[in-house]
Amino acid sequence: EFLCFSLGRSSFSPTSTTTPIKGAMSTASASRFFLSSSRRLAGSSLVRNGNRLNNPAQSLLLDLNQRRWMTSYPPHEVVGMPSLSPTMEAGTIAKWNKSEGEEFIAGDILCEVETDKATVDFEAQDDGVIAKILADAGPAEIQCGEPICITVEELADAGAFKDYVVEASAAPTPEPAAATPPPATPEPVAAPAPAVATPPPVAAAPAPTAEGGRVVASPLAHKLAKELGHGPISALHITGSGPNGRVIAADVREYIPPAATEAPAAAVVTEAAAPAAATPPSPPIPGDGYTDYPLSPAALEIASQLAHSKQNVPHYYLTVDITLDSLLDLRSTLNGSLGKEEAGISVNDLLIKAAASAMKAVPSANASWMESSVRVYDTVDVNVVVGSGDALYAPVVRNVGGRGLKSISDEVNAAVSAIDEAEEGVGPSGEAFGPMGTFTIMNLGMYGIKSCAPIIREPQACALALGAIENRIVPNDDPDSEEIYKQVTMVTATLSCDHRVVDGAVGAQWL
């Protein structure tokens, strides 16, 4: 029936009379259109106006509507920003490979699209001509489905779109957009009413973006929430404006934390929750051939952060063996001058200080990826990973480059003592716990591990892992010695780097 309508016939019956429709396509144009639409139906999933369509007939109907809405323009197609990956919500056009009035064939690259993970080529599916470019190349973010260009089949038709504006092609969009607010408006507004009487449900009532108990958000939104200091998106209760209520980066940028007027209510909730926080973790749950061990909220949050970082940050690793003989001699000298009561400088303290000193020589490693820029920090704040399991923490030592070894050692020891003295189910308190530094160090030597490739903690760009200290036999480099080999004390250090911030040469120079 779609094809028959395009040809200007009143019905598909072979015995019926044919009545041309005013403004309808010619037979040749309709045939080319139907063939072009059939090719596009080969994909199992299409995107129109930001919505993914799995029904080919629905897609064909939209294509048909696009073809016959305005008789003042020649037959054309409004091309939207494509969804080039399963998680892509928006992208930017890095470069147009075709200009207005230029012909292309199937397989030609129309433009290069940058997503939050990679740069992907957008290939043409049919032959045609670029009649009008609606979205210029640049850093502006374009949502999937938003118009980026107009294509026609004949070169002679391209001139008709010289003064074409985006509003004309986006006219059909408001109807789907207007359909989304009704479900979001009544529920969230009505929910706070009972929350006035009972404070705890206030935080749990608004969750319009949850699907099956999980808040759906783009990777960029998750990362932006952490960079702005809001914490995990699941705790913010943001109403998403993306497709199907998905939280996008713009929602996070517009998010305003609760006002100070809510402080009294929050204090009540905190006081009520304090006894509950001191309760021990839930007991293990035995099953048929297995046992489930419930995790604490802190452990779940760490797991979520590490999983997101591993997926989002392009890691690469550099490893080097370090000779510690001179460092051990320095440690003995410093501890001897401090006296037996105050002696406490460890090899780990010396390596923390060495890492900060290396940052002075290579400051570009003390940086963070900020999406559109790289932020280089003036001071080196080191997160030192201690503990394991539910008791895994990374207290921060501020301004390591400007402090002495004894001060660094005292702060690390104080953080470890706070963890040991913390009650079960309650995390340690203090200024060292909570803030994110600019660099992370972990030492697994106590477990006999030779080397480890650590996961970078966003938004940091580097993380260093140290292995066990061991005696090794190496070639003797002393020209005056008669011995061919000698024994030295060594440790293996592995540096994980974010390739967006620190390339291989910079990471090697730092290490």
Side-chain angles (χ1 to χ4, degrees), residues 62-130:
L62 288 177
D63 279 341
L64 179 61
N65 288 335
Q66 281 187 323
R67 291 285 181 162
R68 64 181 183 85
W69 15 217
M70 296 176 199
T71 58
S72 60
Y73 288 103
H76 62 281
E77 181 177 0
V78 179
V79 180
M81 170 63 76
S83 179
L84 301 175
S85 69
T87 60
M88 178 178 172
E89 296 295 332
T92 60
I93 299 177
K95 175 185 177 183
W96 278 101
N97 294 346
K98 298 292 181 180
S99 57
E100 293 182 358
E102 187 174 354
E103 296 180 327
F104 59 86
I105 61 175
D108 282 354
I109 298 175
L110 300 182
C111 63
E112 298 176 6
V113 178
E114 288 185 357
T115 68
D116 55 345
K117 297 180 180 178
T119 300
V120 186
D121 295 334
F122 179 27
E123 296 183 358
Q125 302 299 316
D126 305 307
D127 301 350
V129 181
I130 297 287

Side-chain angles (χ1 to χ4, degrees), residues 171 193 280 311 360 441 457 508 511:
Q311 295 172 355
K360 292 183 178 180
I441 292 181
R457 305 175 67 213
L511 198 54

Side-chain angles (χ1 to χ4, degrees), residues 38 81 154 170 444 455:
S38 299
M81 170 63 76
E154 305 295 339
L444 299 177
I455 299 176

Side-chain angles (χ1 to χ4, degrees), residues 272-300:
T279 58
S282 301
I285 304 173
D288 186 9
Y290 63 88
T291 303
D292 291 336
Y293 293 88
L295 298 175
S296 65
L300 290 173

Side-chain angles (χ1 to χ4, degrees), residues 187-446:
E187 281 84 2
V189 173
V196 176
T198 55
V202 173
T209 58
E211 295 181 1
R214 181 176 65 89
V215 176
V216 181
S218 67
L220 181 58
H222 280 289
K223 184 173 183 180
L224 190 61
K226 291 182 176 64
E227 291 174 352
L228 296 177
H230 297 325
I233 286 183
S234 58
L236 303 183
H237 309 291
I238 299 176
T239 302
S241 61
N244 300 321
R246 188 181 184 94
V247 179
I248 60 177
D251 300 326
V252 179
R253 294 189 184 99
E254 297 173 359
Y255 172 73
I256 300 176
T261 54
E262 299 179 5
V268 174
V269 175
T270 303
E271 292 175 1
T279 58
S282 301
I285 304 173
D288 186 9
Y290 63 88
T291 303
D292 291 336
Y293 293 88
L295 298 175
S296 65
L300 290 173
E301 176 62 21
I302 292 175
S304 175
Q305 291 176 355
L306 293 178
H308 182 268
S309 180
K310 187 63 175 178
Q311 295 172 355
N312 194 48
V313 176
H315 288 64
Y316 75 92
Y317 311 97
L318 300 173
T319 302
V320 69
D321 292 329
I322 304 173
T323 303
L324 297 178
D325 292 333
S326 300
L327 201 68
L328 293 175
D329 292 340
L330 175 62
R331 174 176 177 263
S332 299
T333 302
L334 293 175
N335 285 336
S337 63
L338 290 174
K340 294 182 179 180
E341 295 182 357
E342 297 185 1
I345 296 177
S346 65
V347 174
N348 197 55
D349 300 331
L350 290 166
L351 292 174
I352 292 173
K353 180 65 175 180
S357 299
M359 290 296 184
K360 292 183 178 180
V362 188
S364 55
N366 190 39
S368 293
W369 175 256
M370 305 301 293
E371 297 300 335
S372 60
S373 63
V374 173
R375 178 176 297 172
V376 179
Y377 298 99
D378 297 330
T379 60
V380 183
D381 302 331
V382 179
N383 288 105
V384 182
V385 179
V386 293
S388 62
D390 285 350
L392 181 66
Y393 300 96
V396 63
V397 181
R398 298 289 187 186
N399 192 21
V400 176
R403 302 173 65 170
L405 284 166
K406 188 64 170 64
S407 174
I408 296 172
S409 178
D410 290 344
E411 185 157 347
V412 173
N413 291 333
V416 174
S417 299
I419 295 173
D420 295 338
E421 296 171 0
E423 298 180 10
E424 186 178 3
V426 181
S429 60
E431 297 180 357
F433 297 92
M436 178 69 71
T438 62
F439 185 73
T440 295
I441 292 181
M442 64 176 63
N443 192 333
L444 299 177
M446 66 186 72

